[in-house]
C-alpha cells in the first residue's frame, strides 16, 4: 500500500501538463511584478535621498544611487520642528500602546470573571461601541469640552479602550484552563494577584500581537492631530510630513535658514530641494515601520486566526 | 442591599466592578457621551457659544438637504463618489482571493514568503506616507514621468495627482496597493485549512492544477469571501476620510469627495457644524441598517451572522 502511494506520488510529479507549466511560469512572472510594485517605491525614494540632489532633480536616479552622499539626512535632522515631531510620535506610540495593551488584557480578563457584578451588561456596554460612531463633530466638541484639544492626552485616552482587542484577550483567557485560576484562588490569591501572576504570563503571545498593532496604529495616526491640534509643539511626524508635502516653497527656505552654516560646506550639487527634503522625511517616517515589520510579521496569521474566532 | 454585600462572593464581584469602573467611564465618555452631540443637528449651532433653546431649528437642516437645489446637487455628487469608490472595491473584491489562490500555487517557498512579506508591507504605512510616496513617484521629476518621457509616450511631464481624470480608478489602485496583500492573508489562512487529502485524491484522479483550484480551493474559501463581501457591503457608506483627504486638491475635489470627507470639509470649511452633524446622523442610521441587513443575509445563507 505504502509503496503504491509512492508510485502515485512519483507519477503525479512527472505528469505536469504544458498548460500547468505555462500557468507556473505566468504565476512567477506576475508575482514578481506585484512584489516589484510594492518594493520599488520605497527603494526608489531611498536611493534618491542618498544620491546627488542635482541628478535626482533631473530624474536621473532610477535604479541605483549616483554620487552617494548623506547630506540630506544631516540637514533634515537639523530642522527643529521635525525633531520635536519625532519625539511626540515616539511618546504617543509608547504611552498609547502601553495603555491599550494593559487595558485590553485587564478588561479581557475581568470579563471572563463569573463573579464580576453584572458582567454581561458591562461586556456588551464595551463591545457595542465597535458598531457605532457619533461622527467627527460631536466627537470634536466632546474633546473640546474635556480640554483634550491641544493636549497630549488627546492622543492617548480616546484610543485607550479598544473593544476588539478586549474581545481577543477575552477569547484567549477563556482558552486557558480554569483550574489554574481556581488553584490560585484556593491558595488565597485575590483578583488582581490572579491577573498579574497567572493570566499575564499565559496570555503574553496575544499581548505581543496587540502591542504591535496598537503601536502601528499610534505611529500612523493622523486624523486626531488634524482635528484636535493647532499647537505646532504637539504635531506628530505624520502630520509634519503631510505639511511638508503641501507647502512647497517655504520648505526650502526652512532648511536653508536653519542650517545655513552647514550649507556653505555642502557643494551645490548637494543643496537641498523641496523634493529632496520630502523624500528624506518620507524615509525617516517609514523606517520604524520597516524595522519592526519583520518582527511583527510572525504574528500576522496568529492574530488573524484568533480574530476569526467570534468574541 | 445590605444582605447582598454580606455574601463574600458578591462583595468580591462588586470590588471587581470597581476595578473596571474607570475604564467603563472612559468608554462612556469617548463612545457614548459624543452621541449627545447629535442634538446639534436640530439647532442653529454657532461654534464657540454654548447651546441655548432659542437656537432650536427642528428639522431645518434635514429639510435643507432636499429643499436647497445647490446643496442637493452637491450631496448627490458626493453620494455618487461614495458609491463609485465603494462599488469599485466591491467589484474587484475577488482580487485578494485570486491573489491568495495563485500565491499558494507557488512551490518555491522562499519566493512565496518574500512575495507575501513585501505585498503586506504597504498595509502598515499610513495614508500620509502613501500620499508622499505617490508624490515622490508621480511629481514632474519623478520616476513615472522620466520613464514615460524617455519612452516618448508623453512630451512634457504630466501632473498625475493634480488631474481630475480617472480619480475613482486611481483611488482604487492606491487602495489596492495598500490593502490587497493584507486581505490575501485571510484567504491564505483559509487555504491552509483545506484538508490535504482532498487535493491529494483529486490529483491522483488526474485533476490538473486549474481543476483543483476551480473545484476544491475556491469552493472551500468562498465562505470567507462571502463574509468579507458582506462586511464591505455593511461599510458601503464609510470609506473613511484619510485616504481622500490626503489625495484631495483643488483639481480633483469634485470627484474625490466621499461622504466622510464631505462631512469633515463641511464642518471645518465654513463652520457648518449642524448640517454636517445632520448628514453624519443619516449616514449612521443607514450604516446600522446595512449592518443589520447584511447580518441577516449572512444568517440566511450561512446560518450564522457576524455580529
Amino acid at each position: 500500500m505504502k509503496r503504491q502511494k509512492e508510485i502515485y506520488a512519483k507519477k503525479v510529479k512527472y505528469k505536469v501538463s504544458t498548460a500547468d507549466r505555462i500557468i507556473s511560469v505566468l504565476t512567477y512572472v506576475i508575482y514578481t511584478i506585484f512584489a516589484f510594485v510594492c518594493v520599488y517605491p520605497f527603494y526608489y525614494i531611498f536611493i534618491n535621498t542618498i544620491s546627488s540632489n542635482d541628478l535626482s532633480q533631473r530624474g536621473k536616479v532610477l535604479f541605483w544611487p549616483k554620487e552617494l552622499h548623506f547630506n540630506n539626512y544631516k540637514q533634515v535632522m537639523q530642522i527643529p520642528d521635525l525633531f520635536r515631531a519625532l519625539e511626540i510620535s515616539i511618546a504617543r506610540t509608547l504611552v498609547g500602546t502601553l495603555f491599550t495593551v494593559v487595558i485590553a488584557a485587564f478588561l479581557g480578563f475581568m470579563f471572563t470573571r463569573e463573579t464580576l457584578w453584572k458582567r454581561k451588561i458591562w461586556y456588551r456596554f464595551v463591545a457595542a461601541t465597535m458598531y457605532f460612531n457619533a461622527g467627527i463633530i460631536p466627537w470634536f466638541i466632546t474633546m473640546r469640552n474635556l480640554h483634550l484639544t491641544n493636549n497630549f492626552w488627546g492622543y492617548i485616552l480616546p484610543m485607550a479602550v479598544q473593544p476588539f482587542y478586549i474581545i481577543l484577550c477575552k477569547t484567549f483567557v477563556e482558552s486557558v484552563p480554569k483550574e489554574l485560576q481556581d488553584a490560585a484562588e484556593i491558595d488565597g490569591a485575590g483578583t488582581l494577584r490572579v491577573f498579574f501572576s497567572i493570566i499575564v504570563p499565559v496570555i503574553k503571545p496575544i499581548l505581543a500581537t496587540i502591542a504591535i498593532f496598537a503601536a502601528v496604529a499610534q505611529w500612523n495616526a493622523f486624523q486626531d492631530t488634524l482635528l484636535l491640534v493647532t499647537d505646532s509643539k504637539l504635531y506628530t511626524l505624520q502630520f509634519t510630513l503631510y505639511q511638508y508635502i503641501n507647502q512647497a516653497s517655504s520648505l526650502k527656505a526652512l532648511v536653508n535658514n536653519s542650517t545655513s552654516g552647514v550649507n556653505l560646506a555642502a557643494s551645490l550639487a548637494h543643496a537641498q530641494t523641496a523634493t529632496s527634503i520630502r523624500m528624506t522625511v518620507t524615509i525617516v517616517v517609514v523606517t520604524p515601520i520597516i524595522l519592526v515589520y519583520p518582527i511583527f510579521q510572525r504574528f500576522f496569521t496568529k492574530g488573524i486566526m484568533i480574530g476569526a474566532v467570534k468574541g | 442591599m445590605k444582605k447582598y454585600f454580606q455574601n463574600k462572593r458578591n462583595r468580591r464581584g462588586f470590588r471587581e466592578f470597581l476595578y473596571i469602573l474607570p475604564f467603563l467611564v472612559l468608554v462612556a465618555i469617548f463612545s457614548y457621551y459624543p452621541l449627545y452631540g447629535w442634538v446639534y443637528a436640530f439647532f442653529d449651532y454657532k461654534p464657540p457659544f454654548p447651546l441655548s433653546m432659542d437656537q432650536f431649528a427642528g428639522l431645518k437642516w434635514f429639510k435643507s438637504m432636499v429643499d436647497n437645489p445647490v446643496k442637493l446637487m452637491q450631496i448627490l455628487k458626493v453620494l455618487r463618489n461614495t458609491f463609485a469608490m465603494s462599488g469599485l472595491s466591491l467589484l474587484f473584491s475577488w482580487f485578494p482571493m485570486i491573489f491568495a489562490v495563485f500565491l499558494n500555487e507557488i512551490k518555491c517557498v522562499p519566493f512565496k514568503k518574500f512575495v507575501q512579506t513585501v505585498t503586506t508591507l504597504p498595509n502598515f504605512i499610513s495614508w500620509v506616507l502613501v500620499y508622499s510616496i505617490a508624490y515622490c513617484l508621480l511629481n514632474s521629476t519623478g520616476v513615472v514621468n522620466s520613464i514615460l518621457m524617455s519612452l516618448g509616450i508623453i512630451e512634457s511631464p504630466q501632473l498625475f495627482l493634480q488631474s481630475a481624470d480617472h480619480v475613482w480608478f486611481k483611488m482604487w489602485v492606491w487602495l489596492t496597493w495598500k490593502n490587497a496583500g493584507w486581505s490575501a492573508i485571510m484567504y491564505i489562512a483559509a487555504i491552509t485549512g483545506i484538508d490535504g487529502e482532498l487535493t491529494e485524491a483529486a490529483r491522483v484522479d488526474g485533476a490538473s492544477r486549474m481543476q483543483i483550484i476551480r473545484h476544491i480551493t475556491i469552493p472551500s474559501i468562498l465562505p470567507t469571501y462571502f463574509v468579507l463581501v458582506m462586511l464591505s457591503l455593511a461599510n458601503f457608506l464609510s470609506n473613511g476620510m484619510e485616504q481622500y483627504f490626503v489625495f484631495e486638491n483643488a483639481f480633483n475635489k469634485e470627484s474625490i469627495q466621499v461622504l466622510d470627507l464631505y462631512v469633515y470639509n463641511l464642518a471645518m470649511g465654513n463652520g457648518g457644524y449642524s448640517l454636517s452633524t445632520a448628514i453624519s446622523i443619516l449616514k449612521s442610521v443607514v450604516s446600522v441598517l446595512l449592518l443589520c441587513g447584511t447580518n441577516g443575509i449572512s444568517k440566511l445563507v450561512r446560518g450564522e451572522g457576524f455580529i
Side-chain angles (χ1 to χ4, degrees), chain A residues 32-278:
Chain A
T32 309
I33 295 174
F34 281 142
F36 178 78
V37 166
C38 288
V39 172
Y40 181 71
F42 298 101
Y43 176 72
Y44 168 78
I45 297 172
F46 178 65
I47 57 172
N48 269 281
T49 59
I50 56 171
S51 299
S52 148
N53 289 336
D54 183 37
L55 289 175
S56 162
Q57 190 68 352
R58 285 188 279 138
K60 299 281 185 227
V61 183
L62 296 181
F63 296 105
W64 45 84
K66 287 174 184 164
E67 297 177 23
L68 211 66
H69 75 111
F70 297 99
N71 257 341
N72 286 331
Y73 288 92
K74 276 184 210 148
Q75 306 243 338
V76 156
M77 278 305 153
Q78 286 175 10
I79 308 176
D81 289 349
L82 196 73
F83 208 76
R84 194 179 314 120
L86 182 68
E87 282 172 1
I88 293 285
S89 276
I90 292 175
R92 74 170 288 178
T93 304
L94 293 180
V95 180
T97 308
L98 188 72
F99 268 70
T100 307
V101 171
V102 170
I103 291 177
F106 187 60
L107 287 191
F109 162 67
M110 290 307 273
F111 286 140
T112 64
R113 302 284 298 178
E114 271 144 28
T115 44
L116 175 63
W117 184 60
K118 304 274 186 237
R119 176 173 73 115
K120 281 236 170 80
I121 296 177
W122 303 130
Y123 176 61
R124 291 204 183 122
F125 179 76
V126 173
T129 59
M130 276 202 293
Y131 299 109
F132 67 87
N133 185 338
I136 54 174
I137 298 304
W139 187 73
F140 171 73
I141 294 172
T142 308
M143 296 297 278
R144 209 185 48 199
N145 292 343
L146 293 168
H147 300 288
L148 286 174
T149 49
N150 282 329
N151 185 336
F152 180 74
W153 291 99
Y155 290 145
I156 311 292
L157 294 178
M159 288 170 93
V161 184
Q162 302 267 4
F164 180 68
Y165 297 147
I166 294 173
I167 293 174
L168 282 191
C169 281
K170 179 175 173 271
T171 317
F172 205 90
V173 173
E174 274 163 357
S175 71
V176 175
K178 199 90 190 142
E179 288 78 19
L180 235 78
Q181 290 183 43
D182 291 344
E185 274 173 39
I186 288 167
D187 290 343
T191 312
L192 293 182
R193 183 76 194 273
V194 171
F195 174 66
F196 285 113
S197 320
I198 311 281
I199 299 298
V200 171
V202 181
I203 65 171
K204 259 188 203 151
I206 189 75
L207 293 189
T209 314
I210 293 174
I212 277 153
F213 279 93
V216 172
Q218 280 284 358
W219 181 260
N220 282 342
F222 167 72
Q223 215 171 315
D224 45 10
T225 319
L226 179 72
L227 285 168
L228 302 177
V229 176
T230 48
D231 178 2
S232 65
K233 283 197 194 87
L234 282 174
Y235 283 167
T236 57
L237 212 45
Q238 305 284 344
F239 193 77
T240 313
L241 173 64
Y242 176 74
Q243 283 192 319
Y244 283 178
I245 299 168
N246 280 339
Q247 44 179 242
S249 47
S250 56
L251 198 58
K252 203 177 156 193
L254 181 75
V255 168
N256 289 345
N257 281 341
S258 69
T259 60
S260 49
V262 187
N263 223 22
L264 287 174
S267 70
L268 194 63
H270 294 166
Q272 266 59 48
T273 64
T275 310
S276 79
I277 297 166
R278 286 181 185 131

Side-chain angles (χ1 to χ4, degrees), chain A residues 301 304-305, chain B residues 100 116 184-194 221 224:
Chain A
T301 7
I304 279 190
M305 294 306 271
Chain B
Q116 209 187 330
I185 288 190
M186 218 88 70
Y187 296 107
I188 290 171
I191 291 174
T192 331
I194 296 174
I221 60 177
T224 312

Side-chain angles (χ1 to χ4, degrees), chain A residues 8-9 12 15-17 20 23-24 27-28 31-32 34-42 44-45 56-60 62-63 103 106-107 110-111 113-117 122 124-126 128-129 131-146 148 157-158 160-161 185 189-192 194 213 216 219-223 226-227 238-239 241-242 245-246 275 278-279 281-283 285-286 289-290 293 296-297 300-301 304-305 310, chain B residues 1 4 9-10 12-17 19-20 23-38 40 45 47-48 95 98-108 111 113-129 131-133 135-137 139 141-143 146-147 177 182 185-186 189 200 203-204 206 208-210 241-242 245-246 248 260 263-264 267-268 273 276-277 280 284 288 291 304-307:
Chain A
Y8 270 132
V12 171
K15 239 172 111 185
V16 178
S17 69
D20 280 359
I23 292 170
S24 227
T27 326
Y28 277 95
Y31 280 98
T32 309
F34 281 142
F36 178 78
V37 166
C38 288
V39 172
Y40 181 71
F42 298 101
Y44 168 78
I45 297 172
S56 162
Q57 190 68 352
R58 285 188 279 138
K60 299 281 185 227
L62 296 181
F63 296 105
I103 291 177
F106 187 60
L107 287 191
M110 290 307 273
F111 286 140
R113 302 284 298 178
E114 271 144 28
T115 44
L116 175 63
W117 184 60
W122 303 130
R124 291 204 183 122
F125 179 76
V126 173
T129 59
Y131 299 109
F132 67 87
N133 185 338
I136 54 174
I137 298 304
W139 187 73
F140 171 73
I141 294 172
T142 308
M143 296 297 278
R144 209 185 48 199
N145 292 343
L146 293 168
L148 286 174
L157 294 178
V161 184
E185 274 173 39
T191 312
L192 293 182
V194 171
F213 279 93
V216 172
W219 181 260
N220 282 342
F222 167 72
Q223 215 171 315
L226 179 72
L227 285 168
Q238 305 284 344
F239 193 77
L241 173 64
Y242 176 74
I245 299 168
N246 280 339
T275 310
R278 286 181 185 131
M279 285 183 165
V281 178
T282 303
I283 293 296
V285 182
V286 87
I289 298 278
I290 293 183
Y293 184 66
F296 65 67
Q297 225 232 335
F300 283 176
T301 7
I304 279 190
M305 294 306 271
K310 262 197 355 169
Chain B
M1 201 62 188
Y4 181 83
R9 194 179 144 88
N10 287 346
R12 178 173 203 169
F14 197 75
R15 200 166 49 233
E16 286 175 343
F17 165 68
Y19 292 154
I20 66 166
F23 308 114
L24 296 179
V25 170
L26 271 186
V27 174
I29 292 177
F30 291 111
S31 296
Y32 287 92
Y33 175 65
L35 289 178
Y36 161 77
W38 280 11
Y40 293 116
Y45 180 59
F95 178 73
I98 299 302
F99 182 90
V101 166
F102 281 94
L103 184 64
N104 192 56
E105 290 300 308
I106 290 176
K107 292 286 169 293
C108 171
F111 181 70
K113 278 255 166 68
F114 173 73
V115 171
Q116 209 187 330
T117 307
V118 298
T119 53
T120 319
L121 176 63
N123 183 62
F124 293 95
I125 64 176
S126 64
W127 276 114
V128 176
L129 270 171
Y131 177 64
S132 92
I133 286 170
Y135 176 86
C136 295
L137 298 179
N139 71 27
T141 57
V143 59
S146 347
I147 287 181
W177 182 75
W182 173 249
I185 288 190
M186 218 88 70
E200 199 51 44
R203 205 167 286 151
V204 170
S208 72
R209 271 165 69 182
M210 280 318 272
M241 66 165 255
E242 222 172 301
F245 176 82
V246 293
E248 183 190 29
D260 286 329
V263 167
Y264 170 82
M268 296 298 146
Y273 278 27
S276 151
T277 311
S280 67
S284 303
V288 168
L291 185 68
E304 131 178 78
F306 47 72
I307 298 183

